[in-house]
């Protein structure tokens, strides 16, 4: 991609409306623009990152056996009256009337809709276990939308819903999601710690919040130091018993605000970390709350009808983009982990119009793209300082700088955004180095 043809309206100055670094940098790097309070446009750079985060979420959900669907964003109020939540949900629900005066709403969550899909299509114990998920926009009319994507009104969420015949099987589905979450967040460069949580208005008994430690987090959290470098499960067999892994990851002390028990925490002494945290995901075991109120039953092996056991599992996909920036930036801008970067490599042409430089840049660009990586080629007629600043602001993990002096010797400079480390390499070895490292 040539930067001259791209659309990344970067800003030199800090926008005054942004209070936290992720919001500031997303505006400055030209990733997003506000449309209305808590509602955003995603520009090409931001969209590329959002899609990368969504892809990681999707790959890990699929690996854990969940099946992707898409449910409507606009829902009928009828199902919510049936579950009893239409009146309870309160002002966060955006209520709409259609032209026939029927009550509709913009979905803040999808338990009712997914339970309706299940009850009208699944009949027998052979139809379970099932886990259905989607990655779609939610609307919650938050009282105080703030911090950019952290607490928006419209936001992208992955929500999965599991259906099982009995508690033991439901617990296995729950564990599958816990393990998938550990892997998902780690792949996007986040260390998210599962903390025992209150279940809130969605209901249920067993629940964990996945919290990323960050100074700008909205809640105070406390956790055992061992969580900071615990190895993430690899080569997981999702059909095997996962209770040992989950036990290992959820038995150390970790609690957010309302669940914090100072006495219990004190016993840990120096091993306790107290920090602020961002909730990037949430898992709930729901039991029969919705299957009972909406009548979602299957015929069991003994011929009797049973209400199914459910769980629901959310990830704030758009919030993750902000959380990644909170966890990974410096004074010059964003430092994307390779896995979610909008482009893997930036190419800085120091002398646009110089035949040798132009040709070298194009050659590098094409070679990188042939390797399956995305390159952003700064072919603008701009000062070197502006180009370096924009590459760093946009957080491109690898940068290749091409100038007339170097090219005369067949050399370019390769820079790693995260460390600032630079090396002079031949054009070919710069390109092949990227093919191994990415
Ligand atoms: P919070 O406690 O932050 O209000 P919640 O408990 O209401 O979140 P859930 O219903 O558990 O949220 O939604 C699943 C995930 O969606 C959350 O873990 C969070 O990452 C994300 N999320 C929730 N509300 C918002 C929002 N207003 N803006 C962006 N992401 C959100
Ligand atoms: Mg929550």
């Amino acid at each position: 991609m040539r930067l001259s043809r791209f659309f990344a309206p970067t800003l030199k100055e800090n926008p005054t409306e942004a209070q936290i670094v992720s919001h500031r940098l997303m505006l400055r790097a030209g990733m997003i623009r506000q449309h209305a309070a808590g509602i955003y446009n995603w520009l090409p750079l931001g969209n590329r990152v959002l899609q990368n985060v969504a892809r990681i979420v999707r790959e890990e959900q699929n690996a854990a056996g969940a099946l992707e669907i898409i449910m409507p964003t606009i829902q009928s109020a009828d199902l919510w009256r049936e579950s009893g939540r239409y009146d309870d949900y309160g002002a966060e629900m955006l209520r709409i009337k259609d032209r026939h005066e029927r009550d509709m709403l913009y979905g803040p969550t999808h338990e009712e809709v997914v339970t309706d899909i299940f009850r009208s299509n699944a009949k027998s114990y052979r139809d379970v276990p099932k886990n259905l998920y989607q990655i779609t926009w939610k609307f919650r009319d938050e009282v105080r939308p703030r911090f950019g994507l952290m607490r928006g009104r419209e936001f992208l969420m992955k929500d999965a819903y599991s259906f099982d015949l009995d508690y033991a099987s439901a617990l296995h589905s729950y564990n599958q999601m816990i393990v998938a979450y550990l892997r998902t967040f780690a792949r996007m460069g986040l260390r998210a710690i599962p903390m025992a949580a209150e279940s809130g208005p969605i209901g249920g008994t067993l629940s964990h919040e996945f919290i990323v430690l960050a100074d700008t987090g909205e809640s105070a959290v406390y956790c055992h130091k061992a969580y900071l470098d615990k190895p993430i499960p690899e080569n997981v067999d999702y059909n095997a018993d996962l209770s040992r892994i989950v036990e290992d990851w959820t038995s150390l002390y970790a609690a957010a605000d309302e669940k914090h028990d100072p006495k219990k925490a004190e016993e840990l002494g120096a091993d306790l970390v107290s920090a602020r945290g961002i909730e990037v995901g949430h898992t709930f075991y729901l039991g029969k709350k919705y299957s009972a109120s909406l009548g979602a039953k299957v015929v069991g092996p003994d011929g009797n009808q049973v209400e199914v056991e459910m769980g629901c599992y959310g990830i704030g996909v758009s919030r993750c983009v902000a959380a990644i920036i909170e966890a990974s930036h410096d004074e010059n801008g964003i430092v994307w982990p390779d896995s979610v970067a909008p482009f893997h490599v930036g190419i800085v042409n120091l002398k646009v119009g110089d035949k040798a430089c132009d040709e070298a840049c194009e050659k590098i660009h094409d070679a990188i793209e042939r390797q399956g990586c995305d390159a952003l080629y700064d072919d603008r007629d701009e000062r070197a300082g502006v180009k370096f600043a924009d590459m760093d602001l946009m957080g491109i993990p690898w940068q290749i700088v091409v100038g007339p002096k170097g090219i005369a010797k067949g050399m370019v400079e390769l820079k790693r955004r995260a460390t600032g480390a630079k090396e002079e390499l031949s054009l070919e070895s710069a390109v092949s180095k990227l093919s191994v490292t990415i």
Side-chain angles (χ1 to χ4, degrees):
M1 173 63 65
R2 284 166 180 268
L3 191 49
S4 62
R5 293 182 196 158
F6 198 58
F7 183 57
T10 53
L11 307 172
K12 269 212 204 71
E13 306 300 324
N14 271 330
T16 49
E17 74 264 35
Q19 299 166 35
I20 61 170
V21 69
S22 56
H23 189 194
R24 223 161 29 232
L25 289 175
M26 270 188 275
L27 290 169
R28 283 197 52 209
M31 291 175 63
I32 56 164
R33 286 293 180 265
Q34 183 173 308
H35 167 78
I39 304 178
Y40 290 86
N41 294 302
W42 289 79
L43 303 187
L45 195 76
N47 184 44
R48 292 179 81 101
V49 179
L50 186 67
Q51 299 308 328
N52 286 339
V53 170
R55 173 180 46 78
I56 292 173
V57 170
R58 179 175 285 121
E59 284 172 5
E60 294 298 328
Q61 289 290 293
N62 293 347
L67 304 166
E68 187 169 10
I69 61 172
I70 298 178
M71 292 182 270
T73 47
I74 307 288
Q75 308 176 10
S76 154
D78 294 349
L79 279 172
W80 288 73
R81 292 210 170 89
E82 225 184 298
S83 73
R85 280 209 298 177
Y86 189 62
D87 293 325
D88 291 353
Y89 210 91
E92 266 192 21
M93 181 190 277
L94 181 67
R95 295 156 206 258
I96 318 164
K97 273 196 198 299
D98 70 9
R99 64 184 350 170
H100 305 291
E101 292 292 308
R102 277 189 289 251
D103 291 321
M104 312 291 286
L105 57 102
Y106 196 118
T109 180
H110 281 72
E111 283 80 7
E112 280 77 1
V113 179
V114 80
T115 307
D116 181 50
I117 294 175
F118 185 87
R119 73 175 174 187
S120 28
N121 296 287
K123 301 283 170 250
S124 108
Y125 66 93
R126 288 187 206 90
D127 297 322
V128 287
K130 282 284 171 297
N131 184 329
L132 304 176
Y133 79 97
Q134 64 173 348
I135 299 176
T136 55
W137 297 92
K138 300 279 186 279
F139 193 94
R140 293 182 185 175
D141 205 351
E142 302 271 357
V143 203
R144 281 210 298 152
R146 56 186 180 148
F147 303 148
L149 303 175
M150 284 288 182
R151 187 160 296 282
R153 291 198 295 166
E154 189 182 49
F155 57 96
L156 192 61
M157 196 204 282
K158 183 285 299 182
D159 44 328
Y161 304 88
S162 61
F163 301 88
D164 285 274
L165 193 62
D166 54 33
Y167 179 73
S169 169
L171 201 57
H172 180 63
S173 297
Y174 187 88
N175 289 346
Q176 285 177 321
M177 287 293 107
I178 292 271
V179 174
Y181 276 28
L182 293 171
R183 295 185 45 76
T184 302
F185 295 120
R187 275 186 67 189
M188 50 180 94
L190 291 174
R191 173 137 299 239
I193 301 163
M195 305 197 181
E198 301 285 3
S199 309
I202 293 187
T205 47
L206 177 61
S207 163
H208 290 92
E209 286 176 347
F210 281 74
I211 306 265
V212 171
L213 306 186
D215 295 340
T216 47
E218 284 187 291
S219 38
V221 297
Y222 308 84
C223 71
H224 197 291
K225 207 163 71 191
Y227 274 119
L228 303 183
D229 54 9
K230 226 171 159 44
I232 300 294
E234 279 180 49
N235 304 319
V236 178
D237 173 2
Y238 282 97
N239 296 315
D241 181 9
L242 302 172
S243 53
R244 288 262 298 279
I245 304 178
V246 172
E247 200 28 54
D248 179 44
W249 266 92
T250 54
S251 54
L252 290 171
Y253 188 82
D257 281 337
E258 71 284 4
K259 275 260 178 166
H260 179 48
D261 176 351
K263 242 202 188 143
K264 235 173 128 186
E266 205 180 319
E267 288 163 23
L268 279 171
D271 288 338
L272 185 76
V273 179
S274 100
R276 313 239 9 124
I278 302 168
E279 180 193 322
V280 287
H282 204 155
T283 53
F284 304 86
Y285 162 66
L286 294 167
K288 300 189 173 185
K289 184 177 155 88
Y290 295 95
S291 55
S293 59
L294 294 166
K297 297 179 196 149
V298 291
V299 177
D302 56 2
N304 292 325
Q305 294 257 343
V306 277
E307 284 162 353
V308 287
E309 294 269 354
M310 287 176 59
C312 74
Y313 318 92
I315 290 181
V317 177
S318 49
R319 183 181 282 183
C320 283
V321 176
I324 294 166
I325 298 175
E326 292 292 331
S328 184
H329 67 270
D330 63 17
E331 64 283 0
N332 297 326
I334 304 167
V335 182
W336 292 118
D338 295 303
S339 59
V340 300
F343 294 94
H344 302 105
V345 189
I347 305 163
V348 176
N349 186 343
L350 291 180
K351 197 159 187 198
V352 175
D354 176 278
K355 196 159 170 274
C357 286
D358 291 354
E359 277 176 11
C361 286
E362 273 157 42
K363 205 167 144 192
I364 294 167
H365 176 272
D366 294 351
I368 288 170
E369 299 252 321
R370 265 200 309 277
Q371 280 168 195
C373 298
D374 294 320
L376 181 63
Y377 168 25
D378 192 346
D379 61 340
R380 297 173 303 169
D381 189 12
E382 279 283 2
R383 283 186 298 114
V386 171
K387 295 188 173 193
F388 292 142
D390 276 349
M391 279 296 170
D392 280 358
L393 176 61
M394 291 189 280
I396 312 302
W398 293 98
Q399 299 167 16
I400 296 179
V401 182
V402 180
K405 266 199 218 131
I407 274 304
K409 300 179 285 174
M411 305 295 271
V412 296
E413 187 183 80
L414 179 67
K415 175 179 143 182
R416 184 67 167 151
R417 173 69 181 90
T419 58
K422 294 174 184 166
E423 41 178 339
E424 247 210 302
L425 294 168
S426 73
L427 210 141
E428 289 71 24
S429 43
V431 172
S432 63
K433 177 149 187 185
L434 293 174
S435 73
V436 259
T437 331
I438 285 171

